[in-house]
Amino acid sequence: GKRSTPQSDHALEELCRTYWFPLYAYVRRRGYSKEDAEDLTQTFLARFLEKNYLAGLSAEHGRFRAFLLASLKHFLANEWDRSHRQKRGGGVTLLSLDWQTADTQFQIAATAEPSPEQAFDREWALALLGCVIERLRVECAADDNGRWFAVLKPYLTVGKSAIPYPQAAAELGVSEGAVRVAVH
């Protein structure tokens, strides 16, 4: 929320890159078309950053995920009136988001979630997990453990019964116990 710090632009870019899809999927699950969901998500993020809603936020006031979802809900309620007066993109600064794959990703992710809120929570968790895995990949590469990461990455997203530790141990030339510890 501190716009004057050197890290703020990078942090805001990372925030948008990480959480735009859960927001988009939520809007789609609320019944909006692909094009409307793209516009609404992009406009929401632009206004969210423009008005600096992050200023003054702290963990004591609740979870960021809940704050972001409540902000999106309020935005959608207010935007409904405006959407009938203004055509797509009219006078709005657009953010560059990956809309080419968004609808495909949405169709794949469209599950039998009982509500848009529960689907949002699921997409949020997946986006967060993606960030964590990417950070782990970067850390491993920095420590010259890129090969280990490449071999062990699939183990981060499967159940315990689906993990063939002996195969990974043979590939890495270490004991099965060493692989178990590394995965843990």
Side-chain angles (χ1 to χ4, degrees):
K2 297 178 182 175
R3 298 297 293 247
S4 60
T5 64
Q7 299 87 0
S8 66
D9 287 341
H10 176 70
L12 291 173
E13 178 186 337
E14 185 177 342
L15 179 133
C16 290
R17 193 176 338 105
T18 301
Y19 299 121
W20 74 268
F21 183 75
L23 295 168
Y24 168 80
Y26 177 83
V27 174
R28 284 295 309 272
R29 285 184 176 91
R30 293 285 304 259
Y32 289 92
S33 70
K34 173 186 176 293
E35 292 78 15
D36 288 343
E38 290 172 3
D39 290 345
L40 288 167
T41 303
Q42 197 164 30
T43 303
F44 169 74
L45 286 171
R47 279 204 196 128
F48 189 84
L49 298 176
E50 176 187 322
K51 298 201 183 268
N52 197 20
Y53 289 138
L54 296 173
L57 278 184
S58 68
E60 294 83 35
H61 293 109
R63 295 179 185 254
F64 178 67
R65 177 186 60 197
F67 171 74
L68 194 61
L69 183 57
S71 297
L72 179 62
K73 287 178 180 180
H74 287 107
F75 169 80
L76 291 174
N78 293 333
E79 193 64 21
W80 189 84
D81 285 338
R82 291 185 193 127
S83 69
H84 290 86
R85 292 186 309 236
Q86 188 177 42
K87 295 289 183 188
R88 287 184 67 209
V92 176
T93 304
L94 300 177
L95 297 171
S96 178
L97 302 175
D98 186 10
W99 297 119
Q100 298 298 322
T101 61
D103 196 55
T104 302
Q105 192 176 354
F106 174 77
Q107 296 299 332
I108 291 170
T111 62
E113 301 290 346
S115 72
E117 287 79 9
Q118 289 173 329
F120 175 81
D121 287 345
R122 178 182 179 277
E123 296 303 332
W124 181 278
L126 289 172
L128 189 59
L129 181 60
C131 284
V132 169
I133 289 175
E134 178 58 20
R135 284 184 184 168
L136 182 59
R137 184 195 65 74
V138 169
E139 286 177 22
C140 287
D143 293 340
D144 290 329
N145 290 326
R147 183 168 173 260
W148 277 69
F149 178 81
V151 171
L152 300 179
K153 178 185 173 192
Y155 296 82
L156 298 174
T157 57
V158 298
K160 286 186 178 183
S161 63
I163 299 178
Y165 289 114
Q167 179 184 348
E171 190 172 338
L172 293 172
V174 297
S175 71
E176 185 178 330
V179 171
R180 288 180 187 274
V181 169
V183 169
H184 178 71

